[in-house]
Amino acid sequence: MAKLKSNIKNAISDWNKKNPTLRKKTLGTVAAELGISTSALSQIESSNQFQKHLAVVFESKVKFEQMTCFDIYKKVDIPVINKLSKIMEILDCQIYDLVSKK
């Protein structure tokens, strides 16, 4: 099974590039909006939940199928999925922008 990696820092950078007139977002501001510490956010990929559940989401190489599977997981109310969903809202991005295979 491929190891998954968080791309949250890249997604923040992309958001800042797309929104140059708005206040810049940082890992700290995103973590504050989620109500967690910056270190917890930067270490999100090391959790078993992240690897286990997102391995299923990224089993397909088709982005539409990844989003469909992620949407199903959101309905199950899994904490790591809920956090990633909130990050997607904050950064106006998709799950494949936040996570990649190593």
Side-chain angles (χ1 to χ4, degrees):
M1 178 169 40
K3 185 114 168 130
L4 298 172
K5 180 182 181 317
S6 165
N7 287 334
I8 296 171
K9 290 179 184 178
N10 292 341
I12 292 170
S13 177
D14 291 344
W15 186 92
N16 288 331
K17 287 176 188 173
K18 291 177 189 173
N19 301 286
T21 59
L22 299 177
R23 175 177 257 172
K24 294 202 179 292
K25 293 194 183 284
T26 64
L27 199 60
T29 59
V30 172
E33 288 187 56
L34 290 172
I36 61 174
S37 69
T38 304
S39 63
L41 181 57
S42 65
Q43 296 173 2
I44 197 167
E45 70 189 44
S46 63
S47 78
N48 284 340
Q49 274 193 359
F50 182 92
Q51 296 296 328
K52 179 173 62 174
H53 296 302
L54 291 171
V56 175
V57 171
F58 284 90
E59 190 173 295
S60 172
K61 293 182 181 173
V62 179
K63 290 181 179 183
F64 175 77
E65 290 176 4
Q66 292 170 355
M67 283 303 304
T68 302
C69 186
F70 185 79
D71 289 338
I72 292 169
Y73 264 80
K74 283 194 311 190
K75 294 176 183 176
V76 181
D77 196 34
I78 300 167
V80 73
I81 300 294
N82 293 341
K83 287 176 187 154
L84 290 170
S85 178
K86 180 72 173 170
I87 294 169
M88 287 168 43
E89 289 175 25
I90 294 168
L91 299 177
D92 191 28
C93 63
Q94 301 299 326
I95 189 61
Y96 47 80
D97 297 323
L98 297 177
V99 179
S100 65
K101 289 184 179 181
K102 284 186 180 177

